[in-house]
Amino acid sequence: IEYGPIIAGDGFCVAMVLRDPPEHEANAHLLAAAPALLAACEQAKRALERIHATGLIDFKLVDIGYGITKLSAALALAKGE
């Protein structure tokens, strides 16, 4: 059985995982990326909210409200809300 560390962007080990099956390592990399993904989603949600507030977008072409709703749901799930 082979174990390996998963290192986050800040250099800290976030998990020791089995290398087999490959899904274990992929899941651990996703966990390591979670803080950066959360921050990116929060930033994207704020940007979409600002764009939505301007009213300058043709919402027949781009459904920003839907994107905001989906990001809000994903963020709440990630935060355990």
Side-chain angles (χ1 to χ4, degrees):
I1 298 176
E2 183 183 348
Y3 289 89
I6 300 299
I7 307 299
D10 58 8
F12 288 97
C13 177
V14 295
M16 291 293 290
V17 297
L18 290 170
R19 298 283 185 189
D20 187 39
E23 294 82 22
H24 288 267
E25 188 170 357
N27 288 339
H29 283 292
L30 183 57
L31 287 172
L37 291 168
L38 178 62
C41 286
E42 288 174 332
Q43 183 177 6
K45 181 177 174 276
R46 285 191 301 272
L48 287 174
E49 288 170 338
R50 286 192 302 270
I51 292 168
H52 189 267
T54 67
L56 297 175
I57 301 294
D58 181 355
F59 292 106
K60 293 177 188 155
L61 299 176
V62 180
D63 189 354
I64 290 179
Y66 177 76
I68 293 170
T69 300
K70 295 299 281 185
L71 277 170
S72 296
L75 288 166
L77 185 62
K79 294 177 180 181
E81 297 173 353

